[in-house]
Amino acid sequence: MKIILASQSPRRQELLTKAGIVFDTIPSHVEEIFNNDIPVEDAVMDLAYQKAKWVKDNTKTDGLIIGADTIVVINNEVLGKPKNHSDAVRMLKLLENNVHEVITGVSLIKGEKIINFYEKTFVYFKPMTTQNIEQYIEEENVYDKAGSYAIQGEAMRYIDHIEGDYYNVIGLPIDHLLKELKNI
């Protein structure tokens, strides 16, 4: 079965490759508008679905399409990718010495069959000084990452522990995805 990832994310591509999944990449060109009027879990699954559906509608492929979107939620605020340096600093100041949720929505489309699901992981950050935050932003490309950090990068030194799926925090809950793929 042909599998298509509707994402340019190098992290998602690496996770799929390491899981032994052979796939092609066709990035979607959907404007990511988060619907704040529905529960965050539904909104992130909807974004994933929009990405997968865009690829289905614009390529006419008969393969299985995987769409995904990851958000960070803290104190009922959804953190996407930072807009600029000051936004990245603001996000990291919210996260430091606190716990937040990382939620990844996934949408699988194969013909008329659609499976949407999400995975939630709790991430506990250690305290960070302003100097730590500035140094981290200088060392890591934070601008393409929800919440301004990558757990698998330099941020690992500021994370106390997690509850849930580590790969979900990277951007794709591989174990859950593999279980769903068996259903298709």
Side-chain angles (χ1 to χ4, degrees), residues 116-131:
N116 294 324
F117 65 91
Y118 71 90
E119 190 75 31
K120 186 183 295 189
T121 304
F122 295 90
V123 180
Y124 294 77
F125 259 70
K126 297 175 185 174
M128 297 173 75
T129 65
T130 300
Q131 182 181 356

Side-chain angles (χ1 to χ4, degrees), residues 3 5 12 18 24 31 38 43-44 52-53 61 78-79 109 116 120 123 127 130 144 151 154-155 169 184:
I3 297 176
L5 176 63
R12 289 189 182 116
K18 286 183 176 180
D24 292 323
E31 184 179 356
I38 59 177
V44 76
K53 186 171 183 327
T61 183
V78 174
L79 304 180
I109 300 177
N116 294 324
K120 186 183 295 189
V123 180
T130 300
D144 68 339
I151 193 170
E154 300 298 321
V169 183
I184 293 185

Side-chain angles (χ1 to χ4, degrees), residues 63-82:
L64 168 71
I65 303 165
I66 302 171
D69 196 76
T70 301
I71 59 168
V72 170
V73 180
I74 186 163
N75 303 328
N76 295 317
E77 180 182 351
V78 174
L79 304 180
K81 297 170 186 165

Side-chain angles (χ1 to χ4, degrees), residues 6-126:
S7 172
Q8 291 186 75
S9 167
R11 291 163 301 281
R12 289 189 182 116
Q13 292 174 24
E14 181 180 359
L15 289 172
L16 286 175
T17 299
K18 286 183 176 180
I21 297 173
V22 177
F23 64 96
D24 292 323
T25 301
I26 302 175
S28 68
H29 298 287
V30 170
E31 184 179 356
E32 295 184 28
I33 299 173
F34 194 82
N35 184 347
N36 289 307
D37 296 331
I38 59 177
V40 292
E41 296 86 356
D42 293 338
V44 76
M45 285 189 297
D46 182 58
L47 285 172
Y49 170 73
Q50 288 177 39
K51 291 175 181 182
K53 186 171 183 327
W54 187 95
V55 170
K56 181 180 190 262
D57 292 346
N58 288 278
T59 64
K60 307 301 183 203
T61 183
D62 61 350
L64 168 71
I65 303 165
I66 302 171
D69 196 76
T70 301
I71 59 168
V72 170
V73 180
I74 186 163
N75 303 328
N76 295 317
E77 180 182 351
V78 174
L79 304 180
K81 297 170 186 165
K83 297 175 187 73
N84 52 40
H85 179 84
S86 61
D87 197 30
V89 170
R90 179 189 72 82
M91 288 182 187
L92 290 167
K93 284 186 180 215
L94 283 172
L95 299 179
E96 70 92 13
N97 203 31
N98 211 336
V99 60
H100 64 275
E101 300 169 316
V102 176
I103 305 170
T104 300
V106 179
S107 183
L108 306 176
I109 300 177
K110 173 71 171 122
E112 298 302 313
K113 186 166 186 162
I114 300 168
I115 298 174
N116 294 324
F117 65 91
Y118 71 90
E119 190 75 31
K120 186 183 295 189
T121 304
F122 295 90
V123 180
Y124 294 77
F125 259 70
K126 297 175 185 174

